[in-house]
Amino acid sequence: MSTSTDNEGGQSQQQQQQQQPNLAKSRFVNLIRQYSLQVSNTMRGLKLKDRSKITQVHAFNPSDTSTGTTTTSSAATTTKVAHQGQAGYPTISSVLSNSVDPISVTPAEVLLPYGLPATDSLQPPIDPFLKSIDFVESLAELYRRVEKGSYFDKSLIYLEQYCLLSGLGDPKLLRRCLQSARQHAVDVHSKVVLSAWLRYERREDELVGTSALDCIGRNLECPKAALAHGYDPNSVFDHCKCFQTANESSEVGISTEEELTISEEDGNVCFCIGDEEVYCSRGKIAALSCPLKAMLCGDFSESEKDRIDFSHVGISRDGMRAVKFFSQYGSLGSSSPNVVLELLCFANRFCCEQMKCACDNYLASLVSDIDEALVLIDYALEERANILVASCLQVLLRELPGYLYNSKVMNVFCSYEGKERLTVVGHASFLLYYFLSEVAMEDNMTSNVTIMLLERLRECATERWQKALALHRLGCVLLDRKEYKDAQSCFEAAAEAGHVYSIAGVARSKFKQGQRFMAYELISSLISTYKPAGWMYQERSLYNLGNKKIADLNDATNLDPTLSFPYKYRAVAKLEENHIEAAISEINRIAGFKVSSDCLELRAWFLIALEDYESAMRDIRALLTLEPNYLMFQGKMRGEHLVELLNQHVQQWSPADCWMQLYDRWSSVDDIGSLAVIQQMLINDPGKSVLRFRQSLLLLRLNCQKAAMRSLRLARNHSGSKYERLVYEGWILYDTGHREEALSKAEESISIQRSFEAFFLKAYALADSTLDPEAASYVVQLLEEALRCPSDGLRKGQALNNLGSIYVDCGKLELAADCYVSALKIKHTRAHQGLARVYHLKNDRRAAYDEMAKLIDKAQNKASAYEKRSEYCDRDLANNDLSMASQFDPLRTYPYRYRAAVLMDDQRENEAVEELTRAIAFKPDLQMLNLRAAFHESMGDFSSALRDCQAALCLDQNHKDTLDLYNRTQTQAIDPRT
């Protein structure tokens, strides 16, 4: 038995020796093939110009990155391979010379070189704006301060309102705050900063061929009107004087010869400048200022001299002649700018305030571009010329963000010394540095410039909310820069200034320093002390584990369904459990109503893992529409490069295919898909302005206004004709609240060439108001003219839909139905909604309901369709539809208002108020506040009704229904019998 066993052992050993080289060869082949694949992928990921920089391929280091194991140095590896060759193991040459089956690597592994996201890597940002614990009360308090405050304080109150409302992310609401602040600005400095801020919000610096001092025709943003002293809030929205013919100069010209004659006859004092002499009237020069009067007519020795040496005063002969001219005529005449600069210095030296003011205003009027501003601002600061400084600042601010990192601009704004120089002339303010830091944070959150500007902002802060904002923002930036101790200090100081949300920053900073339990305790204390909010549970979830973390995230979503982090975390958690489809469903919940780059990227990762490359390509193209320079995989890969990689796995479309795909997606109300198709078309034809315009329409529909305005500006810049450019300029003006200017652009475009878009713009702008029959008839004519002009079916469908809406408002139901049917024939699916409205007005609710059911079947985005269908059915079905609408889009307010009204009808008053309160907590909407105020009034709770009215009026101070309710409630609160 022992011999047999020994023989079997020997045979087994021989077989192992024979197989060992083959096994080693197989393992080594796999490593070599993997390495070759990695190098190949790396080379594909580099741009052509980067490939030329690769001078050496380093020795292979067989490290298993998937398991985290590593080997020693490459030299040791080389020695080991050589030893294996000597021992009968295969060499690299022998391996590569033999045909071996390639390693099976899936496309998903190539497309996800950095792997899939992990829950440990996910963290929500600390929002860099103020958050109130009781938002409605804060709004109401601001409105009360506006009502009772003096005109001098109103501008700053509106700035605080802007700060408080920044978290809502509503550009129109924020613009209204800035307009109100500009309307009530008292001093030149505030007017200059706010006018520049309003221009920055429109990003006019991105419009090709525009100047920093271009004016839209209203005092609100006019650069000349901003330099005018005085307070006149009623004239801010009036037309400015920029386009009026300049008045002829009233200055009296005088020739040198004539001046010399006057000098010889009337001059009784001679000022000597070197060898030059200038004869002047002693009395007129003395009248320029008290110091000159004392010198020439007082107890000084110069009062008895006929010749006075001014050689060391710092003025030239031409400058002194200009002084003489000003003493005689009270104006600067035709003096050159250099001479006026001398005059300014002279006026400062001798306290000639009238002369200084004239020089200041004249030099201010000369500043027209950035180069002049950078030269003159030093003179202005040195001579303390307030208006000249304002004029230079105006140009610098209206060029932002383009010159923010210019060394001279940084010297003016960023340094402590620069701020002190501005302070001397009254041009360093919290307002200025709030604007500058806003620009810097948007451009580069973690730059040194951002830090310096926030430091200056903190130094200028005087009120509690200003200190809280400056400290909180500085904490956010330091947190992003991983300077956790300094960030914690800033957040703690902001919390001490009364900003409770900054405690979340304190907790995060502690967590980053390894103090998880202390962070947990801080947020738990917040939840127990204050009324819980979604962000509190979201923040605590970071410091919790397991099921408690998920429970916190679910509570956060229930309290505030607009927070994206809980959806992202739950989705990645499902991915880690290998439930990819469930992960996609989770992220779809937020992406369906709140489109953001990070959610689109996350969904694209999931889709690649699922090998659904077409859908992944859709999301990445849509993402690049929102942020063209987006970096995927936590900043490690350009989005454009991932598109190139995905192109190898998706079907390629011709331009004709793209148009067909666009029609299909547009007709199915698939806005993300439509964006993706347009982005692909723009790669092949980046200068096609009509595509940029379509892109902007989709982005507006998705509530991505910033990206929409960028697309609209690109459409304007790439327009091939003046009439087309005027249309896009008109849309830019309309979307930023300048309706009349938009109409003017449309009319000018039509005067050059009749086009669909020009007529459509004019009709759309006119229809944006209550139309009387005559005005409605004119809008109908404009839309009919638009339909006669060449255009594609996408836009004609929109025009037919709008035309049908006007007909409905005019009671012409048959004509409206014809328009909607025509629109449906060219696949304008949203026309189902208009046709349903026609059926409803004809008392055919069943047909209306069925029409909306067709829209629900076809549309990708169904929330609005469910909401509208609820109007055409009984209460139970309506509740079901509204529940679906809220599920698809919790930001839609009608479902909450309807459910609250039903509860109120059922005399369940407290439940009705609570229904609105839950929604107002994450969506403080004007109509919901108005409705809750009405409920409070009917319940006799006048103080709560007044608070809600004040909060609503803070959002829109001219809302008629709320004003009526507010006045009525005030009367009832004083005398309940009324």
Side-chain angles (χ1 to χ4, degrees):
M1 288 293 294
S2 61
T3 305
S4 174
T5 303
D6 291 340
N7 289 338
E8 288 175 2
Q11 290 174 357
S12 175
Q13 188 175 2
Q14 288 177 357
Q15 289 175 356
Q16 289 176 0
Q17 289 174 349
Q18 291 173 356
Q19 292 174 358
Q20 190 170 2
N22 292 331
L23 290 172
K25 176 179 177 179
S26 176
R27 286 195 297 269
F28 197 58
V29 166
N30 288 346
L31 289 172
I32 293 292
R33 298 291 184 188
Q34 278 188 321
Y35 176 64
S36 302
L37 181 63
Q38 289 171 357
V39 171
S40 174
N41 289 338
T42 301
M43 294 299 290
R44 275 202 304 270
L46 295 173
K47 295 181 181 178
L48 187 60
K49 65 180 182 181
D50 294 329
R51 294 176 186 176
S52 62
K53 299 177 183 177
I54 299 175
T55 57
Q56 177 184 359
V57 177
H58 297 283
F60 169 59
N61 184 356
S63 58
D64 187 354
T65 57
S66 63
T67 61
T69 60
T70 57
T71 64
T72 57
S73 67
S74 58
T77 305
T78 307
T79 303
K80 184 178 179 181
V81 172
H83 175 72
Q84 289 174 339
Q86 293 170 1
Y89 286 87
T91 64
I92 293 178
S93 299
S94 66
V95 168
L96 296 179
S97 65
N98 287 280
S99 61
V100 181
D101 292 337
I103 291 175
S104 176
V105 179
T106 65
E109 292 173 333
V110 177
L111 295 169
L112 295 169
Y114 305 102
L116 289 164
T119 51
D120 291 342
S121 66
L122 297 178
Q123 288 184 8
I126 300 293
D127 294 324
F129 42 75
L130 297 185
K131 279 189 178 182
S132 174
I133 289 295
D134 189 344
F135 189 77
V136 173
E137 177 56 35
S138 297
L139 289 179
E141 173 62 21
L142 281 173
Y143 183 76
R144 290 193 291 268
R145 285 167 56 195
V146 168
E147 269 193 314
K148 298 176 182 178
S150 66
Y151 74 90
F152 187 78
D153 298 325
K154 284 187 177 182
S155 183
L156 199 56
I157 296 173
Y158 283 118
L159 183 67
E160 184 178 353
Q161 181 182 345
Y162 173 92
C163 175
L164 184 63
L165 296 176
S166 293
L168 300 182
D170 185 342
K172 291 184 177 179
L173 190 58
L174 295 179
R175 185 170 183 80
R176 197 182 303 154
C177 293
L178 291 178
Q179 287 177 338
S180 296
R182 167 64 184 90
Q183 179 183 6
H184 294 280
V186 176
D187 57 286
V188 168
H189 172 76
S190 298
K191 294 177 184 178
V192 164
V193 176
L194 289 164
S195 295
W197 199 336
L198 285 164
R199 183 181 188 273
Y200 171 76
E201 291 296 319
R202 276 208 315 281
R203 298 301 194 278
E204 284 208 1
D205 58 289
E206 295 181 11
L207 300 181
V208 175
T210 60
S211 163
L213 297 180
D214 283 349
C215 178
I216 62 170
R218 300 277 177 178
N219 287 325
L220 184 71
E221 294 181 40
C222 176
K224 293 181 180 177
L227 295 175
H229 290 280
Y231 174 73
D232 186 5
N234 297 323
S235 68
V236 167
F237 297 99
D238 294 343
H239 287 288
C240 62
K241 300 178 180 179
C242 287
F243 298 110
Q244 298 178 7
T245 305
N247 295 327
E248 294 183 2
S249 175
S250 59
E251 294 177 346
V252 179
I254 187 165
S255 66
T256 304
E257 291 78 8
E258 186 178 354
E259 185 179 350
L260 286 173
T261 303
I262 294 173
S263 300
E264 292 172 359
E265 295 177 354
D266 298 335
N268 55 14
V269 63
C270 177
F271 293 96
C272 302
I273 300 136
D275 297 333
E276 304 287 343
E277 297 179 345
V278 179
Y279 289 89
C280 301
S281 168
R282 183 184 295 271
K284 290 183 178 179
I285 296 296
L288 291 176
S289 71
C290 291
L292 285 173
K293 182 177 181 180
M295 181 181 71
L296 297 175
C297 305
D299 297 332
F300 290 89
S301 59
E302 286 84 357
S303 62
E304 299 178 357
K305 294 181 180 179
D306 294 330
R307 301 173 64 84
I308 300 174
D309 186 7
F310 260 27
S311 299
H312 303 291
V313 170
I315 191 167
S316 67
R317 173 180 178 272
D318 291 338
M320 197 61 214
R321 289 164 67 91
V323 171
K324 171 190 172 181
F325 186 91
F326 188 87
S327 71
Q328 291 176 332
Y329 300 104
S331 68
L332 301 175
S334 55
S335 301
S336 68
N338 288 336
V339 170
V340 176
L341 283 171
E342 286 188 46
L343 246 63
L344 179 61
C345 182
F346 180 91
N348 263 332
R349 183 165 190 164
F350 292 100
C351 303
C352 306
E353 291 302 323
Q354 187 178 356
M355 183 189 297
K356 179 181 178 179
C357 183
C359 295
D360 198 0
N361 286 313
Y362 172 76
L363 291 170
S365 69
L366 298 180
V367 184
S368 60
D369 59 42
I370 191 77
D371 294 326
E372 293 172 350
L374 289 173
V375 169
L376 287 171
I377 195 166
D378 285 331
Y379 287 102
L381 290 169
E382 186 70 25
E383 300 300 336
R384 301 185 182 184
N386 188 286
I387 299 300
L388 180 55
V389 172
S391 184
C392 294
L393 279 181
Q394 180 161 249
V395 173
L396 298 180
L397 296 177
R398 291 169 77 96
E399 289 283 5
L400 292 176
Y403 286 86
L404 184 61
Y405 302 100
N406 179 288
S407 59
K408 293 183 178 179
V409 174
M410 289 172 62
N411 286 335
V412 173
F413 293 127
C414 295
S415 67
Y416 177 81
E417 294 75 15
K419 188 211 75 174
E420 288 300 299
R421 293 178 73 197
L422 291 171
T423 301
V424 171
V425 290
H427 283 287
S429 67
F430 180 85
L431 170 64
L432 172 66
Y433 284 101
Y434 188 7
F435 175 38
L436 290 169
S437 61
E438 186 96 343
V439 175
M441 290 179 70
E442 186 167 334
D443 188 69
N444 187 342
M445 182 81 166
T446 58
S447 71
N448 290 333
V449 169
T450 303
I451 288 286
M452 289 188 286
L453 290 172
L454 286 171
E455 290 284 1
R456 305 292 83 78
L457 180 70
R458 178 171 63 173
E459 292 162 1
C460 291
T462 55
E463 299 185 14
R464 279 172 60 87
W465 74 268
Q466 295 175 352
K467 294 175 182 177
L469 177 67
L471 289 162
H472 181 77
R473 288 196 149 196
L474 192 54
C476 291
V477 172
L478 291 169
L479 188 67
D480 274 13
R481 287 164 62 105
K482 301 182 180 179
E483 299 174 25
Y484 301 129
K485 287 186 178 180
D486 291 339
Q488 180 181 331
S489 298
C490 288
F491 284 130
E492 287 172 344
E496 289 176 8
H499 188 223
V500 175
Y501 176 61
S502 291
I503 295 175
V506 177
R508 189 75 63 88
S509 302
K510 288 179 177 291
F511 175 65
K512 290 292 187 179
Q513 297 173 75
Q515 303 171 29
R516 177 191 288 268
F517 181 73
M518 293 184 68
Y520 176 85
E521 287 294 310
L522 266 178
I523 303 303
S524 294
S525 176
L526 272 184
I527 292 172
S528 61
T529 304
Y530 300 98
K531 183 178 180 180
W535 63 264
M536 295 180 186
Y537 286 100
Q538 173 180 271
E539 189 64 28
R540 193 174 71 173
S541 72
L542 295 176
Y543 320 128
N544 239 325
L545 298 171
N547 293 332
K548 290 184 178 180
K549 179 187 285 283
I550 296 298
D552 275 350
L553 291 171
N554 292 339
D555 287 340
T557 299
N558 290 333
L559 289 170
D560 186 353
T562 67
L563 296 171
S564 61
F565 172 74
Y567 301 95
K568 291 163 61 179
Y569 187 93
R570 289 190 294 260
V572 174
K574 288 178 170 63
L575 175 73
E576 291 177 339
E577 296 170 356
N578 205 28
H579 299 151
I580 302 180
E581 292 182 351
I584 293 172
S585 297
E586 180 65 30
I587 207 67
N588 282 343
R589 290 175 61 194
I590 182 79
F593 68 91
K594 187 179 179 182
V595 178
S596 63
S597 301
D598 55 343
C599 290
L600 287 174
E601 180 190 14
L602 198 58
R603 190 167 69 178
W605 284 13
F606 298 160
L607 291 165
I608 291 173
L610 200 61
E611 299 187 7
D612 184 356
Y613 303 125
E614 294 280 356
S615 298
M617 178 71 93
R618 173 206 63 203
D619 282 352
I620 295 167
R621 288 193 183 281
L623 184 160
L624 291 174
T625 302
L626 296 177
E627 294 188 41
N629 299 318
Y630 194 83
L631 294 174
M632 308 286 292
F633 306 114
Q634 298 176 348
K636 297 173 183 175
M637 179 188 288
R638 291 181 302 109
E640 293 174 350
H641 177 57
L642 187 55
V643 169
E644 294 170 5
L645 295 177
L646 279 170
N647 267 330
Q648 303 170 26
H649 305 283
V650 299
Q651 182 181 356
Q652 301 302 304
W653 294 336
S654 67
D657 293 333
C658 287
W659 276 108
M660 291 299 296
Q661 292 290 335
L662 181 58
Y663 267 89
D664 289 343
R665 282 159 174 72
W666 198 288
S667 63
S668 63
V669 197
D670 179 6
D671 296 331
I672 296 293
S674 300
L675 273 181
V677 175
I678 289 178
Q679 202 270 348
Q680 180 175 350
M681 296 167 78
L682 284 168
I683 290 177
N684 300 323
D685 192 359
K688 199 169 183 66
S689 58
V690 67
L691 291 176
R692 296 284 183 189
F693 180 56
R694 298 293 193 278
Q695 193 179 63
S696 72
L697 297 175
L698 288 165
L699 289 166
L700 281 174
R701 192 179 292 166
L702 290 168
N703 201 29
C704 302
Q705 186 164 350
K706 187 175 293 185
M709 295 305 293
R710 182 181 63 244
S711 295
L712 201 48
R713 290 190 294 272
L714 287 171
R716 182 264 184 199
N717 289 344
H718 286 102
S719 55
S721 59
K722 184 178 180 180
Y723 78 88
E724 187 181 12
R725 174 173 57 80
L726 288 166
V727 169
Y728 299 140
E729 288 176 355
W731 279 114
I732 291 172
L733 289 166
Y734 177 81
D735 287 334
T736 51
H738 300 284
R739 179 172 167 270
E740 290 187 23
E741 288 74 16
L743 283 170
S744 297
K745 293 285 185 181
E747 290 165 357
E748 186 179 353
S749 178
I750 291 170
S751 69
I752 298 172
Q753 181 167 328
R754 298 162 64 86
S755 67
F756 174 91
E757 293 298 349
F759 280 114
F760 188 88
L761 169 60
K762 187 174 181 180
Y764 196 92
L766 285 173
D768 186 20
S769 61
T770 303
L771 295 177
D772 56 38
E774 184 178 353
S777 176
Y778 184 50
V779 171
V780 167
Q781 292 176 28
L782 290 171
L783 288 172
E784 288 174 344
E785 288 292 337
L787 289 166
R788 294 189 189 101
C789 297
S791 185
D792 58 68
L794 299 177
R795 293 298 284 156
K796 290 205 170 185
Q798 182 66 60
L800 285 165
N801 196 62
N802 288 14
L803 184 57
S805 179
I806 299 297
Y807 279 137
V808 168
D809 291 341
C810 295
K812 301 178 180 179
L813 300 184
E814 295 302 326
L815 290 174
D818 291 341
C819 288
Y820 292 130
V821 170
S822 298
L824 288 170
K825 287 179 181 177
I826 53 177
K827 293 188 175 183
H828 188 77
T829 308
R830 284 184 171 84
H832 283 298
Q833 183 170 319
L835 194 55
R837 184 184 175 198
V838 171
Y839 289 140
H840 175 62
L841 292 173
K842 290 182 176 180
N843 297 319
D844 191 348
R845 295 184 73 199
R846 181 63 192 176
Y849 183 90
D850 292 341
E851 198 66 34
M852 290 306 301
K854 295 177 185 177
L855 178 56
I856 290 171
D857 290 340
K858 294 179 182 179
Q860 292 284 335
N861 301 327
K862 304 176 186 292
S864 63
Y866 275 112
E867 180 182 296
K868 197 65 181 175
R869 192 175 70 171
S870 70
E871 298 178 18
Y872 310 134
C873 53
D874 59 35
R875 179 181 289 189
D876 291 338
L877 289 175
N879 278 325
N880 291 337
D881 277 354
L882 291 174
S883 295
M884 292 297 294
S886 293
Q887 180 179 328
F888 281 115
D889 184 358
L891 289 174
R892 304 190 73 86
T893 63
Y894 175 75
Y896 306 108
R897 289 185 282 122
Y898 176 88
R899 288 190 289 263
V902 169
L903 289 168
M904 202 68 180
D905 287 343
D906 292 341
Q907 297 184 350
R908 297 158 64 184
E909 298 172 337
N910 292 330
E911 293 177 59
V913 169
E914 183 58 30
E915 176 70 22
L916 292 174
T917 300
R918 280 197 301 269
I920 288 171
F922 63 86
K923 175 72 173 177
D925 174 75
L926 171 66
Q927 292 179 319
M928 287 197 292
L929 286 168
N930 177 269
L931 184 59
R932 192 172 71 171
F935 287 175
H936 284 310
E937 182 207 25
S938 68
M939 296 163 64
D941 186 353
F942 299 125
S943 62
S944 296
L946 286 173
R947 179 204 59 202
D948 283 351
C949 284
Q950 289 161 349
L953 291 171
C954 190
L955 299 176
D956 184 358
Q957 59 187 355
N958 297 317
H959 191 254
K960 186 177 183 304
D961 290 342
T962 304
L963 283 170
D964 292 341
L965 177 59
Y966 183 48
N967 293 331
R968 186 171 68 245
T969 305
Q970 281 182 311
T971 303
Q972 290 175 328
I974 296 171
D975 184 359
R977 295 170 298 176
T978 57

